Amino acid sequence: MKAILKGGFILALLVLDLNRSMQAQTMDEMWDSRSSGKEHPNIGWFKDAKFGLFIHWGLYSKLAGEWKDKNYYGSGEWIMNQAKIPVKEYREVAATFNPVAFNAEDWAQLAKDAGIRYMVVTAKHHEGFSMFDSKVTDFDIVDATPYKKDPMKALAAASRKKGIQFGFYYSQFQDWNEPNGGKNSWDFDEKKKNYQLYYDQKAIPQLKELMTNYGPLGIIWFDTPGGMTRQQTEEFVNGLRRLQPNCLFSSRVGQGLGDYRDFGDSELPTTPIMGPWESIYTHNDSWGYIKHDMNFKSPLEIIRLLANVASKGGNLMLNVGPDGNGRIPEYSEKYLKETGKWLARNGESIYGTTYGLIPQQPWGVSTSKPGKQYLHVFNRPHNGKLIIPGFEAAVRSAYTLQGRKVVPVKKKGNQLILDLPAFDQTAANTVFVIEYTGKIAPYDLTTPVPVSNQFAMNSVDAVYGKVQGSAEIKPLTYSHYYGDWKHATCVTGMKDPTDAASFTINIQDPGDYHIILEYACPQESAKQEGVLLVNDTRFLFRTLRSSEFDKSAPLMFIKHTIATSSFAKAGTYTLECRPLNKGKELFKLKTIVLEPVNAN
Ligand code: H79
């Protein structure tokens, strides 16, 4: 149990942190998610902001995912690396970079309309090209392109004018255009590099330019640390802090010296995380513009993602990739504005909130302010009766956020039941508010997961499991396209009948349910027998092959319906999963789904 103080009320929380050490070493280093643990004096705005705009813009935006008549997929800002473009040829791209359609006012206005509170734009990505006026190099937008202007000056000013905190992304270690910068091994011999020389001659002087010439910055967003010892990193950080003590540094400055935590690219923690942190996602499948990447998240997906991140206590920084002309993709503009409309009506349930005290439910998620829980309802129960388990506090009132209409509430045991009014079931997120006095029982992953026939399905995620033997609950990272990271938390390591994962559920509505195991299973693990115990009833199953686990490939989860089970009475049941025999890892179990049979 840990205790935190927020807005004068103390909450005891049982929280599982993400175990970063379980991930491959290299990803850990690239995605340093440790922070200093010291509270930065200027962290307040960041904690309350909740919604940021990330902008990846560079020469790669002009290449747009194409090089020498070949299309590239995934992270467009990695095209130089993916196509192993020689420095000499890459530098020529600058001569064609002329983003005449760029309009700082329009970008800042879009951010404002979207309900964005801070903006972080790439001043220099791994490609090494400076999108600002730099005296340190000629490979920058003013010296090397026909555009000849500094777009960052205009953007910093326009954002600030609209009350949006402004910050720079700066790739401090990787620089594929410098002989001593990190990670270009196709032009330069990594073993011969002097990283300190690169830091002294380019990264540090450029960061000083950024921290001197663009007014007060909200954030420097460092990425993929490397090439420095702990002591060197400390000196690097301390030197920069003197220039702008109020500027926040992202955790990817490395060595636990950042002011807030960033998790992996496109990663959302599964449980509340205390202290300031951020999840970063991109609007489609790439950070930098790719002309053939049209996989944009809908307004509904963005709104739910934002609520989901807020419900765990973090900020969402959503990325858009403007093209080489300086235009933000049409769908990004359209869908961000839609998100902004939702925020204009429901912002009270997002801005200035912290994690919800009600664990994720089949109906949605929650966020908190002192004495208030905001219920973000994604799925309306068929009968309109919304159940909140483990709610001990005294309810003062319950109402709709929009229109403030009273919602009838009853208590049944320690469950709270809200009688929801009719509302548009296709809406992304309908918010209800509960005002209460006293304490809500701690967020506790051992609270039985409610299961009812009011939803098409009920998910019991791995994170709610209790493990025995060598079973473990692990976050796994894999990818679709190049650098298009995905994350899933699974029960792993079940090789023996003594290795088990068990889950407690609370059946609200007696009846029959299909039991579906959602798992990934490589060839070598397929055709092994397992058993799922529902209290004392045994259900046998045999594993089906889905896919191998490899960080650079999709991890494919199969939804394997293994049984129909009757739950005669409402109440608590235990689901326990284990191998029947000793063998290979049974599978990587992501979720147990209970699907009501004959749902209304
Ligand atoms: O700016 C975006 C990414 O370009 C950057 N972070 C976000 C915000 C980022 N840089 N590095 N990484 C993310 C992690 C890279 C992982 C790698 Fe790979 C694994 C590099 C080499 C192996 C992915 C797969 C990229 C190339 C192959």
Side-chain angles (χ1 to χ4, degrees):
M1 295 281 251
K2 293 182 186 172
I4 60 146
L5 256 171
K6 159 95 194 179
F9 69 116
I10 301 173
L11 300 163
L13 294 171
L14 227 188
V15 168
L16 276 188
D17 205 343
L18 286 183
N19 190 342
R20 308 299 308 174
S21 66
M22 289 166 176
Q23 302 220 341
Q25 195 60 34
T26 55
M27 300 308 284
D28 255 6
E29 283 169 6
M30 291 198 169
W31 290 334
D32 199 320
S33 68
R34 298 168 295 170
S35 68
S36 67
K38 285 183 229 138
E39 178 151 299
H40 190 288
N42 194 28
I43 198 73
W45 72 264
F46 179 85
K47 284 204 244 172
D48 290 345
K50 294 295 156 192
F51 195 25
L53 184 67
F54 211 176
I55 302 178
H56 275 65
W57 198 34
L59 295 184
Y60 46 80
S61 315
K62 168 80 192 180
L63 296 180
E66 187 183 342
W67 181 253
K68 302 208 164 154
D69 292 329
K70 189 172 171 233
N71 291 327
Y72 290 82
Y73 291 79
S75 287
E77 71 285 359
W78 277 73
I79 193 164
M80 181 178 176
N81 181 306
Q82 242 191 313
K84 301 289 177 271
I85 303 174
V87 164
K88 201 173 150 293
E89 283 181 61
Y90 200 83
R91 291 179 93 93
E92 287 164 14
V93 178
T96 68
F97 189 72
N98 194 13
V100 290
F102 167 72
N103 183 319
E105 297 290 329
D106 290 354
W107 287 18
Q109 188 60 48
L110 172 61
K112 190 78 191 166
D113 292 346
I116 293 287
R117 295 283 167 93
Y118 64 105
M119 180 193 287
V120 173
V121 62
T122 48
K124 177 185 78 86
H125 204 271
H126 309 334
E127 64 172 359
F129 181 71
S130 305
M131 289 292 288
F132 61 101
D133 184 12
S134 178
K135 303 293 172 240
V136 177
T137 173
D138 287 339
F139 193 45
D140 69 270
I141 191 160
V142 174
D143 296 321
T145 77
Y147 188 66
K148 293 193 183 349
K149 292 187 286 282
D150 182 346
M152 300 297 148
K153 267 260 151 73
L155 195 56
S159 302
R160 253 180 235 122
K161 208 166 77 193
K162 302 226 182 308
I164 295 165
Q165 289 274 353
F166 183 80
F168 287 120
Y169 172 107
Y170 189 87
S171 174
Q172 77 272 30
F173 168 56
Q174 295 199 54
D175 191 314
W176 305 330
N177 257 280
E178 295 293 335
N180 292 306
K183 303 278 172 159
N184 178 343
S185 52
W186 56 99
D187 285 296
F188 311 112
D189 184 350
E190 207 72 35
K191 289 193 290 292
K192 291 197 185 131
K193 288 181 182 176
N194 180 343
Y195 297 133
Q196 197 57 47
L197 203 60
Y198 161 75
Y199 276 108
D200 291 342
Q201 292 184 346
K202 186 166 178 185
I204 295 170
Q206 284 207 319
L207 282 158
K208 287 186 174 162
E209 290 181 320
L210 292 169
M211 296 182 87
T212 311
N213 301 336
Y214 297 87
L217 301 178
I219 295 172
I220 299 274
W221 213 96
F222 295 96
D223 201 4
T224 65
M228 283 195 287
T229 61
R230 157 108 199 171
Q231 201 199 328
Q232 286 169 319
T233 312
E234 266 174 27
E235 284 164 17
F236 169 82
V237 166
N238 294 341
L240 295 174
R241 288 214 187 270
R242 267 177 236 128
L243 297 173
Q244 287 205 26
N246 262 335
C247 178
L248 306 176
F249 291 178
S250 70
S251 57
R252 294 193 194 170
V253 72
Q255 306 286 354
L257 295 170
D259 302 309
Y260 68 85
R261 304 177 69 184
D262 268 292
F263 292 98
D265 292 359
S266 318
E267 183 172 26
L268 165 61
T270 47
T271 56
I273 301 288
M274 284 168 275
W277 62 272
E278 173 186 72
S279 269
I280 54 164
Y281 276 81
T282 188
H283 194 194
N284 49 2
D285 292 332
S286 170
W287 303 88
Y289 178 74
I290 288 193
K291 61 182 179 354
H292 46 274
D293 181 350
M294 296 300 287
N295 185 23
F296 293 100
K297 290 167 188 69
S298 66
L300 177 142
E301 288 172 294
I302 299 171
I303 291 162
R304 289 187 181 176
L305 181 61
L306 177 62
N308 223 327
V309 175
S311 80
K312 309 296 186 296
N315 292 355
L316 171 66
M317 182 160 70
L318 184 70
N319 177 75
V320 298
D323 66 18
N325 291 322
R327 276 195 200 92
I328 290 175
E330 186 190 334
Y331 286 100
S332 294
E333 210 178 294
K334 195 156 102 182
Y335 295 170
L336 274 171
K337 282 186 181 158
E338 286 296 316
T339 304
K341 283 189 206 157
W342 183 89
L343 273 166
R345 287 179 273 120
N346 298 282
E348 185 194 321
S349 66
I350 299 285
Y351 303 121
T353 63
T354 186
Y355 42 78
L357 299 178
I358 304 157
Q360 197 154 333
Q361 298 297 315
W363 47 260
V365 299
S366 65
T367 53
S368 311
K369 279 186 187 166
K372 286 182 185 170
Q373 291 296 304
Y374 296 95
L375 314 178
H376 299 258
V377 179
F378 305 158
N379 306 305
R380 188 179 191 278
H382 298 313
N383 62 5
K385 306 248 186 289
L386 179 138
I387 295 171
I388 302 172
F391 199 99
E392 307 280 2
V395 176
R396 290 178 50 210
S397 60
Y399 51 90
T400 60
L401 180 59
Q402 282 174 52
R404 297 222 162 6
K405 287 199 198 74
V406 171
V407 173
V409 193
K410 305 201 280 260
K411 253 195 171 166
K412 193 175 144 199
N414 67 355
Q415 289 187 344
L416 206 61
I417 304 172
L418 270 70
D419 206 350
L420 302 184
F423 62 84
D424 179 5
Q425 293 187 48
T426 63
N429 179 357
T430 307
V431 183
F432 298 88
V433 189
I434 299 176
E435 292 195 12
Y436 65 95
T437 51
K439 274 192 201 158
I440 301 182
Y443 187 108
D444 184 348
L445 290 172
T446 63
T447 303
V449 180
V451 170
S452 80
N453 63 19
Q454 295 307 315
F455 303 94
M457 57 181 210
N458 303 272
S459 293
V460 185
D461 293 324
V463 67
Y464 293 97
K466 255 201 341 239
V467 288
Q468 288 167 40
S470 57
E472 288 181 82
I473 298 167
K474 267 197 193 181
L476 305 173
T477 298
Y478 57 99
S479 53
H480 285 183
Y481 293 142
Y482 189 93
D484 175 20
W485 301 106
K486 312 283 173 195
H487 308 267
T489 296
C490 294
V491 181
T492 63
M494 287 185 278
K495 293 181 179 160
D496 192 276
T498 59
D499 304 332
S502 62
F503 304 82
T504 56
I505 59 169
N506 192 291
I507 294 282
Q508 309 285 341
D509 305 298
D512 297 352
Y513 290 81
H514 283 315
I515 300 179
I516 302 161
L517 303 181
E518 192 177 356
Y519 60 80
C521 180
Q523 177 91 66
E524 63 165 21
S525 292
K527 297 195 172 165
Q528 297 186 103
E529 290 180 272
V531 56
L532 186 87
L533 274 158
V534 178
N535 284 355
D536 295 324
T537 314
R538 281 159 59 94
F539 295 101
L540 295 185
F541 61 90
R542 201 176 67 173
T543 57
L544 306 174
R545 181 196 180 175
S546 69
S547 81
E548 321 297 311
F549 173 46
D550 177 334
K551 78 174 179 8
S552 56
L555 184 58
M556 289 187 282
F557 292 95
I558 189 166
K559 283 191 172 173
H560 182 180
T561 307
I562 59 148
T564 305
S565 179
S566 261
F567 294 87
K569 282 193 292 212
T572 303
Y573 291 78
T574 304
L575 309 178
E576 189 184 272
C577 179
R578 58 172 82 237
L580 197 61
N581 306 301
K582 192 173 162 60
K584 304 270 187 214
E585 179 182 76
L586 191 61
F587 47 33
K588 299 187 191 302
L589 178 65
K590 187 160 85 122
T591 306
I592 300 178
V593 177
L594 289 107
E595 183 188 66
V597 175
N598 302 324
N600 338 355

